[in-house]
Amino acid sequence: MKKITAHTIYPVDGPSIKDGVIIIDDVGKVLAIEKLSDHDATSVEYHEGAIIPGFVNSHCHLELSHMKGVADTGTGLIPFVNCVVTQRNMSQDIIMDAIKKADQEMWDNGIMAVGDISNVTDTFKTKDGSPIQYYTFVEFFDLLQTQDAKQKFDEYHQVFKAKASMHRDRKSIVPHAPYSVSEQLFEYIREHTPEDGRTISVHNQETPPEQELFLRGTGGFVDWYQSFGLNVDGFEAPGTTSIHYLLKHMSPKNKTLFVHNTLTSEADIIAAQNWSDKTFWASCPNANLYIENRLPNYQYFLDQGASVTLGTDSLTSNWQLSILEEMKTIARFQSYIPFETLLEWATLNGAKALSYEDELGSITVGKKPGILLLEGFDGNNLGQTSVKRII
């Protein structure tokens, strides 16, 4: 058993605590939160800084860890995707070593759970042996090629079946993005996805060509398809923003984690939240800056009471895998967001989105959330803050 205190404790599911003590058992379960004055000071482990629960990384591509530094910054999404498609193949030893190191980096950075995208099986061995809890989202896509929908479904379904259920790890079949999943493939996905409240992740409104494709049927994605010799003549632009295509083809009975949302308007948020009360919005600010030099307008999400989560995306589109660094980036560019709000996005909201809130996301009696120390944090400015794992 340990007794831990610091200048301030941020439990997340309640107000911050000064002069408090967290009592934790040998497996990291929170037994009690009490007043420091009720304990002999010599029995308490004191830390300089702020205590918070472990982070939840709601969106990552662990399998692309070997591509760190390969893609140029600021190119836009389509050139970035081209880089991933054409350069992701390296020796399996390099790929597996990078995955293992990235998993360790996330653990060292205080991450307790990850919503991880998988197109192949490369990460499964590392995830099965990791102390991190993983929700694996096996992505399906056919690039709007309706004639390939059944073939592509069968191909990615083999990947899905290969992921074992280990510990409290979870898995779901998910669509990649509105611009890459045909109506036919959506139908196959729906047929094989129980409406039981599981989480479905989908990339959303990440780049202007995505919006142009759905509003007018023109733009960069049409040219991109044609560059691969693909015919999208059968696609009819619905004349709405791309999120409405997703709402039409996904189930409101499951949790939906919309990812990136850099172009999501307040009207889009309202439409999605009217569609389902199980909507979550994953933001990966450093990846958004890396790829497109843009961020979401977070005020829209605040105004609508949206449940925002934080993710790192991959080392292909980021300089590190750190939720603290994502918080710092938001605080740097949109500093009106309070620290406590950012912390909720980084912890409890992510835990809820991935259905890990019974154990993670807040310092609550009965949970095993992981305990982190923010060193150098003055209660407001995150700029010089670093994170240290205590438990």
Side-chain angles (χ1 to χ4, degrees):
M1 186 177 73
K2 289 179 103 174
K3 298 179 182 179
I4 300 171
T5 189
H7 181 268
T8 310
I9 298 169
Y10 291 92
V12 178
D13 61 351
S16 61
I17 301 168
K18 293 187 182 297
D19 300 320
V21 173
I22 308 168
I23 303 173
I24 301 168
D25 71 11
D26 293 339
V27 296
K29 181 184 288 187
V30 178
L31 301 177
I33 304 173
E34 298 177 353
K35 294 180 181 178
L36 179 59
S37 58
D38 292 339
H39 294 265
D40 181 347
T42 62
S43 70
V44 178
E45 186 179 296
Y46 180 81
H47 295 272
E48 189 67 38
I51 287 176
I52 63 171
F55 294 126
V56 176
N57 180 357
S58 62
H59 182 75
C60 185
H61 295 253
L62 185 63
E63 68 188 20
L64 299 179
S65 299
H66 61 289
M67 292 188 66
K68 184 175 183 179
V70 173
D72 292 331
T73 60
T75 63
L77 182 65
I78 292 176
F80 174 82
V81 172
N82 279 337
C83 176
V84 173
V85 170
T86 59
Q87 299 190 50
R88 70 177 290 170
N89 291 329
M90 297 185 188
S91 78
Q92 200 65 17
D93 287 345
I94 291 174
I95 291 171
M96 299 304 288
D97 184 61
I99 288 169
K100 186 176 180 180
K101 288 178 178 177
D103 172 77
Q104 185 64 50
E105 178 182 341
M106 286 195 283
W107 178 255
D108 292 343
N109 284 331
I111 293 170
M112 298 294 294
V114 178
D116 187 57
I117 302 295
S118 290
N119 306 130
V120 294
T121 62
D122 290 347
T123 60
F124 292 178
K125 181 179 179 181
T126 295
K127 288 192 283 195
D128 289 347
S130 174
I132 294 173
Q133 295 179 30
Y134 279 95
Y135 200 131
T136 296
F137 299 115
V138 178
E139 265 184 352
F140 288 54
F141 53 90
D142 61 359
L143 301 182
L144 303 182
Q145 304 305 296
T146 58
Q147 71 276 10
D148 294 338
K150 183 61 168 66
Q151 175 187 336
K152 288 297 183 182
F153 178 85
D154 291 342
E155 176 184 335
Y156 292 114
H157 199 232
Q158 292 302 312
V159 177
F160 176 77
K161 289 190 292 186
K163 179 65 182 81
S165 295
M166 302 287 291
H167 314 301
R168 295 191 65 228
D169 285 3
R170 297 186 172 93
K171 62 179 181 177
S172 288
I173 291 169
V174 303
H176 169 254
Y179 58 80
S180 60
V181 179
S182 68
E183 291 186 315
Q184 287 81 356
L185 184 54
F186 262 118
E187 186 175 333
Y188 289 128
I189 292 170
R190 282 285 298 270
E191 287 175 359
H192 289 79
T193 303
E195 294 181 324
D196 57 2
R198 67 185 58 205
T199 306
I200 307 299
S201 168
V202 61
H203 294 79
N204 176 62
Q205 295 176 302
E206 192 177 354
T207 185
E210 177 183 335
Q211 300 285 59
E212 187 175 350
L213 177 67
F214 285 87
L215 288 169
R216 292 178 288 278
T218 57
F221 272 115
V222 175
D223 297 336
W224 186 67
Y225 298 136
Q226 291 173 348
S227 73
F228 287 99
L230 303 178
N231 187 335
V232 291
D233 292 343
F235 174 77
E236 295 184 10
T240 59
T241 56
S242 59
I243 195 172
H244 291 273
Y245 178 75
L246 298 177
L247 302 183
K248 179 181 176 181
H249 294 291
M250 298 175 71
S251 172
K253 295 182 181 180
N254 286 325
K255 294 180 180 180
T256 303
L257 183 62
F258 296 104
V259 180
H260 293 308
N261 316 304
T262 52
L263 298 173
T264 302
S265 69
E266 195 160 10
D268 293 326
I269 298 169
I270 292 170
Q273 298 196 158
N274 286 339
W275 169 74
S276 173
D277 61 357
K278 300 178 179 65
T279 57
F280 293 85
W281 307 87
S283 184
C284 306
N286 283 318
N288 298 151
L289 292 175
Y290 191 109
I291 297 171
E292 291 234 341
N293 280 328
R294 73 176 77 240
L295 292 174
N297 186 330
Y298 294 109
Q299 190 63 55
Y300 295 155
F301 297 90
L302 293 174
D303 289 346
Q304 294 306 317
S307 295
V308 177
T309 70
L310 297 184
T312 62
D313 213 67
S314 76
L315 285 173
T316 317
S317 59
N318 207 331
W319 297 271
Q320 67 281 306
L321 300 176
S322 166
I323 293 298
L324 176 60
E325 291 302 318
E326 304 300 324
M327 294 172 68
K328 288 182 180 181
T329 294
I330 296 174
R332 185 179 306 121
F333 290 99
Q334 299 189 37
S335 59
Y336 55 85
I337 304 175
F339 166 74
E340 288 84 352
T341 299
L342 290 177
L343 184 59
E344 185 176 8
W345 293 2
T347 56
L348 187 56
N349 283 5
K352 290 177 178 178
L354 302 181
S355 296
Y356 288 132
E357 70 272 23
D358 60 334
E359 185 169 317
L360 304 178
S362 63
I363 301 173
T364 305
V365 173
K367 290 190 179 185
K368 294 190 290 184
I371 303 295
L372 310 180
L373 180 69
L374 294 183
E375 298 179 303
F377 178 58
D378 63 5
N380 182 36
N381 186 0
L382 282 167
Q384 300 302 314
T385 303
S386 60
V387 64
K388 175 183 177 182
R389 179 181 287 278
I390 298 176
I391 295 176

